[in-house]
Amino acid sequence: DQQVKQNSPSLSVQEGRISILNCDYTNSMFDYFLWYKKYPAEGPTFLISISSIKDKNEDGRFTVFLNKSAKHLSLHIVPSQPGDSAVYFCAASVVTSYDKVIFGPGTSLSVIP
Amino acid sequence: DSGVTQTPKHLITATGQRVTLRCSPRSGDLSVYWYQQSLDQGLQFLIQYYNGEERAKGNILERFSAQQFPDLHSELNLSSLELGDSALYFCASSQGPQETQYFGPGTRLLVL
């Protein structure tokens, strides 16, 4: 049973345009959400997070939106740059359950120059 | 560079064998996590240690075990290896529970 889903395995976007990566979750107990970026031959790198008490968190070109009623979050990258080409993992956890983080399968983003 | 080191980078072995993967967390981090990433799969949480003690367990097989030593480095032991155990194994560390995790570069295991 996949608790964190990323239904788009891949996404291609033109440089300068917006990239929108989507993530859905099934466990309503999740209250902390993270996005990680992974380049080939490297470990995942933390990108941005959001707590369930917020519906938006912004860090430079990266914004995460959370819709708790829909159990959906999205990562917006504006403007997209070729260096953003990577696999993006959505992750979720229940803060009170220590930090057993559940990762989604990832979305491979290609930003075309 | 996340500050988390993993050795070896690559490991090729045969079915039925036993291997040990090693992880050194970032300086000051007390929590260590192990993840498995199989082909076309997301990161599967295996196990977490905090300051030497097991804190949380995920989808870890009985053939797998881990420990965290007094110097905080951790080892993941995989035994009676099967072809399906071929995967990338990542270690991550954080200052404590509920803190951001920093990942190592991974160990690529190939079981032939």
Side-chain angles (χ1 to χ4, degrees):
Chain A
D1 175 33
Q2 209 173 40
Q3 297 187 63
V4 178
K5 304 175 187 182
Q6 293 177 258
N7 292 323
S8 298
S10 62
L11 177 68
S12 285
V13 171
Q14 286 290 130
E15 181 179 2
R17 307 293 289 268
I18 183 172
S19 295
I20 300 176
L21 296 98
N22 293 305
C23 176
D24 296 289
Y25 60 95
T26 58
N27 188 343
S28 57
M29 298 293 291
F30 287 144
D31 54 9
Y32 190 63
F33 305 89
L34 312 94
W35 285 93
Y36 281 82
K37 179 167 80 171
K38 183 184 180 301
Y39 292 118
E42 294 183 15
T45 304
F46 170 74
L47 194 56
I48 192 168
S49 64
I50 187 166
S51 163
S52 61
I53 62 173
K54 298 173 118 180
D55 54 19
K56 176 183 173 181
N57 190 25
E58 198 169 349
D59 184 2
R61 297 185 297 112
F62 302 91
T63 303
V64 56
F65 295 92
L66 175 63
N67 182 334
K68 289 189 292 291
S69 60
K71 295 194 185 71
H72 176 84
L73 64 155
S74 60
L75 175 68
H76 293 212
I77 306 173
V78 184
S80 300
Q81 298 173 355
D84 296 329
S85 297
V87 176
Y88 289 79
F89 291 100
C90 170
S93 70
V94 179
V95 171
T96 54
S97 297
Y98 304 102
D99 46 352
K100 185 177 163 183
V101 179
I102 308 298
F103 282 80
T107 295
S108 179
L109 173 67
S110 295
V111 179
I112 304 161
Chain B
D1 184 1
S2 66
V4 178
T5 59
Q6 288 186 249
T7 56
K9 270 189 159 73
H10 304 275
L11 197 49
I12 302 175
T13 188
T15 54
Q17 294 298 304
R18 181 180 190 277
V19 297
T20 297
L21 313 184
R22 183 189 167 102
C23 169
S24 293
R26 291 188 324 156
S27 177
D29 284 359
L30 299 178
S31 276
V32 169
Y33 313 76
W34 286 97
Y35 292 87
Q36 179 193 58
Q37 185 182 19
S38 302
L39 194 64
D40 296 331
Q41 296 282 318
L43 291 158
Q44 300 291 321
F45 169 72
L46 295 178
I47 197 164
Q48 179 211 351
Y49 282 83
Y50 176 72
N51 204 19
E53 291 192 9
E54 182 183 306
R55 262 295 169 87
K57 228 169 183 175
N59 300 322
I60 187 165
L61 300 171
E62 284 191 16
R63 300 183 285 108
F64 296 1
S65 65
Q67 53 184 325
Q68 186 180 29
F69 294 87
D71 67 352
L72 301 175
H73 91 271
S74 178
E75 292 180 356
L76 178 67
N77 300 296
L78 316 176
S79 61
S80 303
L81 284 167
E82 301 174 0
L83 296 176
D85 297 327
S86 296
L88 264 171
Y89 291 84
F90 287 103
C91 167
S93 75
S94 68
Q95 288 189 333
Q98 304 160 19
E99 299 286 334
T100 298
Q101 296 178 33
Y102 294 87
F103 282 78
T107 293
R108 184 173 292 279
L109 173 67
L110 181 59
V111 182
L112 299 174

